[in-house]
Every structure is written in C-alpha cells, then in structure tokens.
Amino acid sequence: AVVSTQSGHYGRGNLESGSANCIFQLKSLNLSWCDEVTDVGLSRVITSNSSSLQTLMIRQCGIGVGTLKAIAKCSNLVQLDISTNVEISDEVWTPLAVGLPRLQELDASWVFGMRDTKLALLLHHCHELRKLTIDGHKQITTDLFRKMVVTMENGRRVRSAQYAPRLQYISLQYCNDIEDEELWEIVQLCKGSLTVKNYYGDDIEYSLPDD
C-alpha cells in the first residue's frame, strides 16, 4: 500500500486513525511538507509498518527523536528523505546509520549539525547506497570521501570495497568546504561510475583517458 500527500494538512488525527485502521502494510509513505504531523503520530505509523516500509519521504516534517528511532528499525528501507529537518543527535543517528542495510537513496540535505563523522558511519554500514544528496552542509569536508579510495601494497589506488562501494551519485550543492580537485581524482578513479555535483550544481566529470 502507498500513502502520499504533500498538502501540509496531514495531522495527528489522520496519522493515528490511519495507523489503527490500516489493514495493509505500507511500502511507501510520503508526508513531505506536512508540518502539522506530530512525532508521536509519525513514529507510530512507521513502527507499525517497520517490516514492510521501503520508501519514506518526510522532507520538512519537523521530525523528532521518536520518528528517527522508528526509522532505524526499518531494515527493508530503500529510499529515505529526511531533508530540511531539525538537528539529529549522535545518539539517534548511530542506530539509524547502522540499521538500514538495504538503503539505496538518502536525502539528508539542510539537516542542521550534519558532520563528516555522522555520514562516514553511514557510508561504512550502508553498502547498498547508490545516491546521496547532502546539499547545504557547511561542516562537511572532502575528508568524508577520501576513504572511498584505498592504496594497495603495490601502490595502486583502487575504489574501496568496504566504504560506499556502490555509491553512484553525490550531490554537494552549497557545501562550502569541499575541494573539487580531490573529488575529480575520485571520479577519475571510478572511471565513470560516479557522478558528483559540486557547490554550484555542476557535474565533476569523468575524463576519458587519451588513446
């Protein structure tokens, strides 16, 4: 079953009654921009559908600790949008980062307090992650992505098989402390399998080697 609304008027009563009366397990839930949704109501819906939920879009919903703890138990989640929300503490972020082994797409743009250490934990554990959108973060640096490349004993540099091994797309728009030159080197090493958008939304492009 799928529930989708972006009207901004999906409130506490709707969620709680929906959770109590729904006879189907939700696979997709989109409540983006619904700022009247409460943490209690949203966490209750997510908890009751934790085993089936695959897509969760809650952009600018004012989510709280209860919702984030509930998300961490959705082990089948594939797509997650928590952008434009309040700060996520380390205490809550850690179980979320390690509890979503099937996650393929994450949008955590404009979430206050996001740092390299938080996202690195996610990249270490979410090996299925393909798309990462983290626009608008002033504290994220190029260090976050250096572990994508490892140096072998013979000096050869290759893509890591343990840190973001399947990542194909990164958006870093309005991220101030990112060095395009280093990301360009990573893109070249990935040989066209990785697309990176820089501060201005321009692609850091892979250059085909000369014949």
Side-chain angles (χ1 to χ4, degrees):
V2 177
V3 172
S4 179
T5 178
Q6 297 185 30
S7 65
H9 299 295
Y10 210 81
R12 176 178 180 180
N14 301 95
L15 275 180
E16 293 185 355
S17 62
S19 175
N21 298 324
C22 186
I23 60 174
F24 301 105
Q25 287 288 291
L26 293 176
K27 289 186 176 181
S28 179
L29 179 63
N30 185 350
L31 296 173
S32 296
W33 308 104
C34 295
D35 52 9
E36 294 182 10
V37 170
T38 67
D39 186 49
V40 172
L42 185 53
S43 62
R44 185 173 297 176
V45 171
I46 293 171
T47 298
S48 63
N49 294 277
S50 60
S51 63
S52 61
L53 206 55
Q54 297 177 6
T55 299
L56 180 61
M57 316 292 281
I58 46 176
R59 181 182 180 91
Q60 195 169 330
C61 276
I63 58 178
V65 172
T67 295
L68 293 166
K69 287 183 176 180
I71 293 173
K73 298 177 181 178
C74 296
S75 59
N76 290 313
L77 203 61
V78 174
Q79 183 179 12
L80 176 62
D81 185 345
I82 53 172
S83 58
T84 322
N85 272 297
V86 296
E87 181 176 6
I88 302 174
S89 68
D90 291 345
E91 178 185 2
V92 177
W93 179 262
T94 298
L96 191 149
V98 303
L100 305 177
R102 293 178 175 83
L103 190 66
Q104 295 184 20
E105 296 185 21
L106 173 67
D107 190 339
S109 303
W110 306 101
V111 176
F112 182 75
M114 195 62 72
R115 303 185 304 277
D116 287 352
T117 52
K118 286 183 176 180
L119 287 166
L121 186 65
L122 182 103
L123 295 179
H124 271 299
H125 289 274
C126 295
H127 287 180
E128 297 300 321
L129 193 66
R130 267 75 164 173
K131 183 177 181 179
L132 178 65
T133 305
I134 44 176
D135 301 335
H137 291 298
K138 310 302 181 185
Q139 297 179 358
I140 290 175
T141 72
T142 316
D143 287 343
L144 175 64
F145 305 104
R146 288 183 177 134
K147 291 182 181 178
M148 290 181 66
V149 177
V150 295
T151 303
M152 309 294 286
E153 290 184 1
N154 61 5
R156 183 181 173 216
R157 300 173 76 229
V158 298
R159 184 164 181 173
S160 171
Q162 302 298 324
Y163 187 87
R166 295 177 177 84
L167 196 57
Q168 299 172 353
Y169 175 93
I170 307 169
S171 181
L172 298 164
Q173 296 181 64
Y174 304 107
C175 292
N176 292 30
D177 205 7
I178 298 292
E179 298 175 19
D180 283 10
E181 289 184 6
E182 284 198 54
L183 286 178
W184 181 86
E185 292 180 4
I186 295 174
V187 168
Q188 304 316 301
L189 187 141
C190 292
K191 298 180 179 178
S193 66
L194 177 67
T195 297
V196 178
K197 288 192 175 295
N198 67 9
Y199 182 95
Y200 300 102
D202 299 325
D203 286 349
I204 298 176
E205 298 181 344
Y206 170 62
S207 301
L208 290 172
D210 296 330
D211 295 333

